[in-house]
């Protein structure tokens, strides 16, 4: 009689990935001093993300900083914030699930409404939803021959935490900071015993005033944070994303000495995951020499973070500008640099564009235009076949020059951090059911012609004999077979009384 042996356990898995967009608007009262808005910098961060029945609800905070020209031609700044909430629907969602949300501002637009400026920001949310689920698998059976394999069963472990980064440095002749622009990238995420250590760099770009002229200054600030995580074990690699939830830059100017000290403080929110795995013996096939068997199988697919590879590349070329630039334009600063890109699996390149706001002077007036520099950077040796790459790119600096009338050329340095993840697949039997009795072969000797590539298990299953019996009767065979062998099975016969 068949008696399957089963194990069951609970584990955490990535259920689905959801992408959503929303529009957030901020209204700036139109001051009589504002003649032209020069630059807009959006800073967006997550406040909450919760799952409910068929819906994921998320909220965030948007801070918009604008730089504008007043009636005297001076650059001034204004800042305004807004909180927002949005949702995305999916039938598989339930309140017990955990959502991890990443927000980014894709685009901003400026329009006039009556006596106000309305700035609309398109906010993109990328949400990973994790769920607790059950796995049940057959590990053996009485009354049947069972093939087992040792496999690695995984469970996704999510971690989160916060950290504060502070830095002080000098900026000679700077009299004011108009807009601080910062991007944090992860260079390493490694588990220790009961903790995860995440380190990386913050690329700070300051759109500032030096004497009476706008300028842009760059600085790289390293960070390292250690997050408690009970399930972490030493040496395991993790995937992490760092978001700047709050940013504050102050300029302390000493007019007598002509010096300026910059104090930089930012709060980081870290979200990440790693796979916790353990080895188990699972049944992958079974048969019986007395009855037919009905086999049900199942499986899992899980991502495993394998490495974070870092590339530094310089890109240059013709740039697109919204305004026509002529020889009477005096370039002052390339501010608010950032990149939008994606990894192309077919080409092995990170493809996208670098964006910056070019501030220039023309006919005594300060103006600005958006500049975009397309690029394609090959990441040599980043991944093997079947591995996934998630890129995160920071722009270290941008310079723009006029190559010809109406034709601009730009150059930028990119720091590309590529998280490489491999997909791990596991198959196992979930149920074995006994069927009808099988007919027995009562011949004294059987000769079987195998197929090329057959192993001992495949031959035993086809002959409906135990692997030990087949092996003992054919000790000269070497598996897997070439297909030219002949397998002989002897059966004992009882004499009739």
């Amino acid at each position: 009689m068949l008696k399957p042996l089963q194990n069951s356990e609970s584990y955490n898995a990535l259920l689905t990935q959801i992408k959503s967009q929303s529009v957030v608007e901020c209204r700036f009262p139109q001051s009589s001093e504002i003649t032209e808005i020069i630059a807009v910098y959006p800073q967006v961060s997550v406040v909450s993300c919760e799952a409910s029945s068929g819906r994921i609800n998320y909220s965030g905070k948007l801070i918009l900083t604008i730089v504008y020209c007043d009636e005297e031609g001076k650059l001034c700044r204004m800042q305004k914030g807004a909180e927002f909430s949005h949702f995305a629907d999916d039938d598989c969602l339930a309140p017990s699930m955990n959502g991890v949300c990443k927000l980014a501002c894709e685009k901003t637009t400026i329009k006039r409404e009556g006596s106000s400026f309305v700035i609309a920001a398109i906010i993109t949310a990328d949400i990973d939803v994790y769920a607790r689920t059950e796995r049940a698998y057959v590990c053996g059976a009485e009354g049947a021959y069972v093939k087992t394999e040792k496999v690695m069963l995984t469970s996704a472990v999510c971690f989160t935490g916060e950290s504060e980064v502070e830095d002080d440095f000098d900026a000679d002749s700077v009299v004011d900071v108009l807009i601080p622009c910062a991007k944090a990238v992860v260079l390493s995420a490694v588990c220790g015993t009961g903790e995860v250590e995440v380190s990386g760099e913050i690329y700070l770009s300051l759109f500032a005033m030096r004497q009476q002229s706008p300028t842009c200054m760059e600085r790289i600030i390293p960070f390292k944070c250690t997050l408690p995580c009970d399930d972490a074990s030493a040496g395991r690699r993790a995937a992490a994303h760092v978001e700047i939830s709050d940013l504050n830059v102050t300029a302390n100017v000493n007019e007598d000495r002509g010096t300026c000290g910059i104090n930089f403080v930012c709060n980081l929110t870290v979200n990440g995951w790693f796979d916790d795995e353990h080895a188990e013996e699972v049944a992958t096939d079974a048969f019986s020499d007395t009855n037919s068997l009905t086999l049900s199988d199942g499986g899992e697919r899980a991502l495993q973070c394998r490495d974070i590879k870092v590339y530094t590349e310089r890109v240059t070329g013709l740039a697109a500008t919204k305004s026509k630039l002529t020889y009477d334009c005096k370039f002052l600063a390339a501010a608010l640099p950032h990149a939008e890109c994606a990894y192309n699996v077919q080409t092995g390149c990170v493809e996208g564009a670098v964006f910056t706001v070019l501030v220039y002077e023309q006919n005594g007036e300060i103006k600005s235009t958006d500049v975009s520099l397309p690029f394609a950077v090959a990441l040599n040796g980043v991944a093997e076949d079947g591995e996934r790459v998630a890129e995160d790119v920071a722009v270290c600096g941008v310079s723009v020059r006029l190559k010809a009338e109406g034709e601009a050329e730009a150059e930028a340095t990119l720091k590309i951090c590529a998280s490489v993840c491999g997909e791990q697949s596991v198959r196992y039997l979930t149920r074995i059911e006994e069927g009808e009795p099988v007919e027995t072969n009562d011949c004294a000797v059987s000769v079987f012609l195998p197929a090329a590539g057959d192993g001992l298990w495949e031959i035993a299953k086809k002959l409906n004999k135990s692997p030990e019996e087949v092996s003992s009767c054919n000790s000269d065979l070497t598996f897997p077979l070439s297909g030219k062998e002949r397998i002989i099975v002897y059966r004992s016969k009882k004499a009739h009384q």
Side-chain angles (χ1 to χ4, degrees), residues 169-215:
F169 55 94
D170 294 329
D172 292 342
S173 303
V174 169
V175 297
D176 190 19
V177 175
L178 298 173
I179 299 179
C181 169
K183 167 72 175 179
V185 294
V186 175
L187 304 182
S188 173
V190 181
C191 296
T193 302
E195 62 184 23
V196 182
E197 185 178 274
V198 179
S199 59
E201 293 174 338
I202 300 171
Y203 292 84
L204 176 65
S205 176
L206 297 180
F207 183 25
M209 292 296 295
R210 176 171 284 160
Q211 300 302 334
Q212 301 300 317
S213 178
T215 186

Side-chain angles (χ1 to χ4, degrees), residues 103-323:
L103 296 179
C105 182
E106 189 171 299
K107 185 181 179 181
T108 58
T109 58
I110 305 171
K111 61 180 179 180
R112 293 178 182 266
E113 285 189 0
S115 60
S116 303
F117 285 102
V118 176
I119 299 179
I122 299 176
I123 307 298
T124 300
D126 290 300
I127 306 170
D128 294 337
V129 181
Y130 294 86
R132 202 73 187 171
T133 186
E134 294 286 328
R135 66 163 62 98
Y137 56 90
V138 177
C139 57
E142 296 179 7
Y145 302 113
V146 179
K147 181 183 180 182
T148 62
E149 293 181 9
K150 181 172 284 188
V151 299
M152 303 303 293
L153 299 179
T154 64
S155 180
V157 179
C158 299
F159 59 89
T160 185
E162 296 181 349
S163 180
E164 184 179 88
V165 180
E166 185 172 0
D167 189 33
D168 294 288
F169 55 94
D170 294 329
D172 292 342
S173 303
V174 169
V175 297
D176 190 19
V177 175
L178 298 173
I179 299 179
C181 169
K183 167 72 175 179
V185 294
V186 175
L187 304 182
S188 173
V190 181
C191 296
T193 302
E195 62 184 23
V196 182
E197 185 178 274
V198 179
S199 59
E201 293 174 338
I202 300 171
Y203 292 84
L204 176 65
S205 176
L206 297 180
F207 183 25
M209 292 296 295
R210 176 171 284 160
Q211 300 302 334
Q212 301 300 317
S213 178
T215 186
C216 189
M217 298 180 299
E218 311 288 339
R219 187 172 178 84
I220 301 175
I221 304 169
F223 71 87
K224 180 183 291 185
C225 52
T226 302
L227 309 176
C229 181
D230 294 337
D231 296 323
S233 56
R236 190 169 299 280
R237 294 186 180 274
H241 172 76
V242 176
E243 178 183 85
I244 297 177
S245 56
D246 191 28
L247 175 63
N248 186 29
V249 175
T250 56
N252 300 310
V253 179
N254 189 324
E255 296 182 356
D256 296 333
R257 296 183 178 181
T259 61
C260 176
I262 303 293
N263 176 250
F264 167 85
V265 180
C266 79
N267 293 324
L268 303 179
T269 299
V270 184
N271 288 296
W273 62 270
F274 61 89
D275 63 305
D276 184 27
E277 59 182 10
H278 63 280
E280 292 289 348
E281 287 280 349
V282 301
T284 57
D285 199 5
F287 70 92
S288 170
D289 56 4
T290 59
N291 294 76
S292 63
L293 299 181
T294 301
L295 307 179
S296 300
D297 68 342
E300 304 169 14
R301 289 184 177 180
L303 286 179
Q304 184 180 55
C305 184
R306 296 178 178 170
D307 200 3
I308 298 177
K309 297 184 179 181
V310 182
Y311 300 81
T312 302
E313 299 287 342
R314 182 174 292 273
V315 295
T316 185
L318 293 178
T321 61
K322 282 192 174 181
S323 302

Side-chain angles (χ1 to χ4, degrees), residues 391-409:
E391 80 293 333
D392 201 7
V393 180
V395 182
C396 305
V398 180
S399 62
V400 183
R401 68 181 184 89
L402 197 63
K403 185 177 182 180
E405 187 84 13
E407 191 174 282
E409 187 176 59

